[in-house]
Amino acid sequence: MEETKTGLATIKPFDIKKEELQQLADDYKSLVVTEGTFKAADAARKQLKGKRTEIQRVLSDRKSIRLAWKREEDDRDEKIASELIGVLLPIETRLENELNAITERLKREAEERIRKEEERKRGIKNRIHEFESMITKIRSIKYEEIDIVTGK
């Protein structure tokens, strides 16, 4: 495997081949642990553990480098995006504020028109009610009382 370069460091490849590990596993697969093979079994366990921890260390190092590189790239991207947005945002904000001001003014004007229309309708209803009251009074006047009311 070849090394991969990032802005921060070089990511080292896994130098251990699967075939080598398979051979090591095969060598110790049939090892039976007894008092007589205790030292050999412990040495085999240490060798297997050493290879495993080496693989885990390489994996951890590779992850750390990639994460650091990703953070660096994310920071760079955020800075670029912020600069680009900074070009547009003031104009967008101004336009939004002006649009909102007009929208609010139009809303207030519409509410005022509605209020005035309701007031006009109430006035008409009040006049109609007054006319109805007068008509009721007029209807209640008897013919004989007309001369008295008009003075004739």
Side-chain angles (χ1 to χ4, degrees):
M1 284 188 222
E2 70 182 54
E3 295 181 340
T4 305
K5 295 188 179 193
T6 68
L8 298 171
T10 301
I11 299 176
K12 295 182 180 173
F14 285 101
D15 291 332
I16 302 168
K17 305 282 185 240
K18 185 175 181 180
E19 296 78 21
E20 294 172 18
L21 297 176
Q22 189 60 56
Q23 182 60 50
L24 192 60
D26 290 344
D27 289 348
Y28 297 125
K29 188 179 348 184
S30 60
L31 180 62
V32 177
V33 180
T34 65
E35 286 183 23
T37 61
F38 186 86
K39 286 186 180 183
D42 190 42
R45 181 194 60 81
K46 287 178 183 176
Q47 187 178 12
L48 293 170
K49 182 177 181 179
K51 290 292 184 181
R52 178 184 53 80
T53 56
E54 180 183 348
I55 293 167
Q56 289 173 324
R57 186 175 24 79
V58 171
L59 175 63
S60 178
D61 291 347
R62 290 171 59 91
K63 281 183 178 180
S64 294
I65 291 169
R66 281 194 306 271
L67 287 172
W69 177 80
K70 184 183 180 313
R71 279 191 297 272
E72 181 182 273
E73 286 296 304
D74 287 349
D75 290 346
R76 185 181 64 79
D77 290 349
E78 286 290 331
K79 183 179 178 188
I80 291 169
S82 180
E83 288 174 8
L84 295 174
I85 289 170
V87 171
L88 304 174
L89 192 58
I91 307 305
E92 177 190 350
T93 302
R94 179 185 61 82
L95 292 173
E96 183 176 17
N97 290 338
E98 291 174 7
L99 289 167
N100 286 341
I102 290 172
T103 300
E104 286 300 315
R105 180 180 53 81
L106 293 173
K107 181 180 172 185
R108 284 191 309 273
E109 289 173 358
E111 288 170 350
E112 180 64 18
R113 280 193 303 276
I114 291 169
R115 187 192 63 76
K116 285 183 178 180
E117 180 61 16
E118 291 299 319
E119 190 176 296
R120 185 186 72 80
K121 287 178 183 178
R122 269 193 308 277
I124 292 170
K125 285 180 182 178
N126 287 340
R127 278 182 263 149
I128 289 171
H129 181 69
E130 289 171 8
F131 285 132
E132 287 174 343
S133 288
M134 281 195 255
I135 290 171
T136 303
K137 285 180 185 176
I138 291 171
R139 285 188 179 150
S140 67
I141 298 176
K142 295 182 181 165
Y143 182 73
E144 298 82 37
E145 297 172 348
I146 292 178
D147 288 337
I148 299 172
V149 173
T150 59
K152 294 183 181 177

